[in-house]
Amino acid sequence: MPALLAVSHGTSDAQGAADVRALVAAVRSAVPHLAVHEAFVDVQDPEAAAALAAIEGPVVVVPLLLSSGFHVFHDLHGIVAGRADAVVADPLGPDPRLAEVLARRLPAGDDVVIAVAGSRDDRSAVDAEGMADQLSARLGHPVHIGYLAAREPELGALLAQHPDAAVSTYLLAHGYFNDLTRKRAEGHPISKPLLDGSEPPAELVELVLERFSAAAAQLDRAHA
């Protein structure tokens, strides 16, 4: 069986870092015979390329990232290039299980804005729109997207047009973008990020393992 290398962005926020570690630990506990390693694309160590190089044998790199974009296609696909026994899984989102966690956390209300980090990569925008659609289907009413960087509409400007909106925080954990969400959405009810200091949601653990299994099967087919 390949090893699982879980790669998140990295953060200097102590709570956010602890919550991501807890998710990785929950994945490890769910499948005790699976070798689970942790790495980062920025801020924290070990850096993803170094962590991958230290693992012997086949590896599935699972991005603990909510959408496609630069980190997935440049950083992670870049580190597996030239290594036939390593593959990058799909990012965590969009997925109906994330919509379920977001809906569970969301304050009551029919006007909802989902706060998304944002990226200049158009593939990231497609994923954000897909997640908004899935949350909308789960809630039964429209969901508007407010971006925190790189794209429009910017969250604060959008909320000025929706003074009664509740904000669904579509971020993995506490950190820079969560702080920015709370600042720009001041006065609005705001949900916590997907990892919020409590036990990691079962849906996230299941999602990480599903992404791993799908990519491991791809690796098997390539070597069949």
Side-chain angles (χ1 to χ4, degrees):
M1 178 180 289
L4 189 164
L5 178 60
V7 182
S8 59
H9 182 276
T11 178
S12 58
D13 185 278
Q15 181 64 67
D19 286 343
V20 173
R21 282 197 304 272
L23 174 59
V24 175
V27 170
R28 189 178 289 117
S29 296
V31 188
H33 61 278
L34 175 63
V36 178
H37 307 267
E38 184 178 19
F40 309 90
V41 294
D42 199 2
V43 184
Q44 293 178 254
D45 291 321
E47 190 268 336
L52 177 63
I55 302 172
E56 294 184 3
V59 184
V60 172
V61 178
V62 179
L64 300 186
L65 301 168
L66 297 180
S67 65
S68 306
F70 182 84
H71 289 308
V72 172
F73 289 105
H74 180 272
D75 293 336
L76 300 187
H77 281 274
I79 67 172
V80 304
R83 181 163 170 169
D85 63 348
V87 66
V88 179
D90 290 337
L92 300 183
D95 192 272
R97 284 160 289 195
L98 298 179
E100 184 61 36
V101 178
L102 292 174
R104 198 160 63 227
R105 301 267 173 83
L106 189 65
D110 291 336
D111 196 6
V112 174
V113 169
I114 185 170
V116 178
S119 167
R120 291 183 179 85
D121 192 308
D122 289 342
R123 291 167 291 196
S124 177
V126 170
D127 286 349
E129 290 162 6
M131 194 67 246
D133 289 344
Q134 292 193 12
L135 181 57
S136 175
R138 170 62 179 78
L139 297 174
H141 53 76
V143 170
H144 313 281
I145 303 176
Y147 291 99
L148 295 160
R151 308 190 80 88
E152 294 182 347
E154 183 272 327
L155 178 63
L158 181 63
L159 287 174
Q161 303 171 27
H162 296 267
D164 298 322
V167 177
S168 177
T169 303
Y170 186 49
L171 301 169
L172 185 63
H174 291 268
Y176 171 78
F177 280 115
N178 185 67
D179 293 343
L180 190 58
T181 299
R182 303 192 73 82
K183 180 179 179 181
R184 293 186 177 174
E186 186 176 3
H188 292 260
I190 309 171
S191 68
K192 294 180 179 180
L194 292 163
L195 299 173
D196 67 347
S198 59
E199 183 176 349
E203 292 92 341
L204 265 71
V205 177
E206 178 183 316
L207 191 49
V208 171
L209 290 171
E210 185 177 288
R211 296 290 190 259
F212 167 81
S213 296
Q218 174 187 336
L219 197 57
D220 284 344
R221 288 192 297 271
H223 290 274

